[in-house]
Amino acid sequence: MKQNDPTASIADANRVLHDTLPFDDTDDFADADRGFLGTLEEPVIRDADGTAVWDAAAYDFVDGDAPATVNPSLWRQSRLVAKHGLYEVVEGVYQARGFDLSVMSFIESDTGVIVVDPLISKETAEAALGLYRAHRGDRPLVAVIFTHSHIDHFGGVLGVVEAADLEGRKVQIVAPEGFLGHAISENVYAGTAMGRRAGYMYGAALDKGPAGQVGAGLGQTTSTGVPGVLVPTVDIRETGQTLTVDGVDIEFQLAPGTEAPAEMHFYLPRYRALCMAENATHTLHNLLTLRGALVRDPHIWSAYLTEAIERFADRSDVLFASHHWPTWEAAASGTSSACSATSTATCTTRRCAASTGASRERRSRRTSRCRRRSSPSGARTATTGRCRTT
């Protein structure tokens, strides 16, 4: 595919944006590197036939300052998500990042390990589990948690669960109520059309490079291995429901109709860690997707984020999600969700105001930057508007 040089207007717009945003703030880079334990010796992950389904080194070109061809904010985000390896969130909680569009998490229990959101493909999930075991030992799998009904959060389950594990329910499959119906609706009934449209949305067919595909915001791109699904053995039906898995207590919060129609957050008292699924990540998430997922309601989404702050912020030392890197410390955890909540709710208001001719002054007041707070109670009253995300 022919790749063109940027027009003068594009190059100028990218240069202005670079001069506008605080690119000297490198906190995210420090957080993205924190807890690094190691990565795969061979960056290419292959299927049974030897075909490459993922190349963790494919984005090594994303380094240094943004070229004139790329929005500098996207370039910065792509530098962050191109990092790959196993990372410690806190002692006992780990993440494999950079091996698919999403992130796979590991929660150590008394005798085994719980896997959270096993990526898109069997092959990438299997490689991520192998990397975890190479650093943390061959702990047996005791449960898999699907936080929501999008394929990048369950598709690789057959790479971590063997048929023998399901006999006698040695491995529990935990998911929010309605998970299976929504997963089938999106990936079977509408799967072909949505998959084709997702290729355009993520630019997966473009050559990778400064004049082609540089990343997808949530991650680099989607893997191309074998997807699958397993029927949940435990349905989470209400907020406040708790489950003990091999000694680890898990407290759930349902969040339906947010980023996915069936979605949930959960809290781990043992680790003072809060998992926010895909509802509080390091981007301003889309509400209307080009691939055709159900339209998200920003007000419902923000309400569940506010509820998460009220339920968990003062008990949490770290917030992690199924994309990107964690946010540490209780105050930062609350503020991260608060910024996501307020910006999710008000960006739609901002666009509506623009479309109805609201004055620039009124819109400006609505889009002021979220202020960082030093306590969860302060986080709950964070200024509505635009968080510094990419």
Side-chain angles (χ1 to χ4, degrees), residues 168-256:
R169 294 197 172 184
K170 289 194 299 183
V171 174
Q172 298 184 66
I173 309 295
V174 184
E177 184 177 30
F179 163 84
L180 192 62
H182 287 296
I184 292 173
S185 176
E186 177 171 317
N187 296 288
V188 178
Y189 299 152
T192 301
M194 288 186 67
R196 186 165 56 244
R197 293 175 68 169
Y200 287 98
M201 175 176 170
Y202 292 116
L206 296 176
D207 292 335
K208 296 175 177 63
Q213 204 261 0
V214 299
L218 287 171
Q220 300 99 311
T221 187
T222 53
S223 64
T224 58
V226 177
V229 69
L230 290 174
V231 176
T233 61
V234 178
D235 287 332
I236 302 305
R237 299 180 181 275
E238 61 182 1
T239 293
Q241 184 174 340
T242 60
L243 183 68
T244 301
V245 179
D246 191 32
V248 175
D249 295 331
I250 310 173
E251 181 182 340
F252 294 93
Q253 178 204 3
L254 287 181

Side-chain angles (χ1 to χ4, degrees), residues 66-290:
T69 50
V70 183
N71 179 297
S73 190
L74 174 61
W75 186 262
R76 175 184 181 275
Q77 184 77 350
S78 297
R79 287 179 61 196
L80 287 160
V81 299
K83 297 174 181 291
H84 53 87
L86 182 72
Y87 297 81
E88 181 181 274
V89 179
V90 296
E91 186 176 357
V93 179
Y94 303 86
Q95 289 188 315
R97 301 186 215 132
F99 301 114
D100 216 317
L101 183 70
S102 50
V103 165
M104 183 164 149
S105 299
F106 306 91
I107 302 164
E108 293 183 350
S109 56
D110 285 356
T111 64
V113 65
I114 302 164
V115 164
V116 182
D117 287 357
L119 310 181
I120 293 176
S121 303
K122 171 184 176 181
E123 296 84 358
T124 53
E126 185 175 28
L129 180 59
L131 178 63
Y132 163 79
R133 285 177 168 160
H135 288 272
R136 297 296 301 166
D138 194 14
R139 287 173 166 265
L141 183 70
V142 295
V144 177
I145 297 175
F146 300 146
T147 63
H148 59 290
S149 53
H150 291 156
I151 195 169
D152 52 325
H153 301 272
F154 66 81
V157 66
L158 299 181
V160 299
V161 179
E162 298 178 1
D165 294 331
L166 299 177
E167 297 176 5
R169 294 197 172 184
K170 289 194 299 183
V171 174
Q172 298 184 66
I173 309 295
V174 184
E177 184 177 30
F179 163 84
L180 192 62
H182 287 296
I184 292 173
S185 176
E186 177 171 317
N187 296 288
V188 178
Y189 299 152
T192 301
M194 288 186 67
R196 186 165 56 244
R197 293 175 68 169
Y200 287 98
M201 175 176 170
Y202 292 116
L206 296 176
D207 292 335
K208 296 175 177 63
Q213 204 261 0
V214 299
L218 287 171
Q220 300 99 311
T221 187
T222 53
S223 64
T224 58
V226 177
V229 69
L230 290 174
V231 176
T233 61
V234 178
D235 287 332
I236 302 305
R237 299 180 181 275
E238 61 182 1
T239 293
Q241 184 174 340
T242 60
L243 183 68
T244 301
V245 179
D246 191 32
V248 175
D249 295 331
I250 310 173
E251 181 182 340
F252 294 93
Q253 178 204 3
L254 287 181
T258 52
E259 190 273 335
E263 190 149 356
M264 65 185 184
H265 314 143
F266 64 85
Y267 175 70
L268 303 166
R270 173 185 290 191
Y271 298 113
R272 291 182 58 85
L274 173 62
C275 177
M276 291 299 294
E278 197 174 324
N279 281 333
T281 62
H282 291 278
T283 85
L284 178 59
H285 209 292
N286 53 16
L287 301 176
L288 177 64
T289 74
L290 297 176

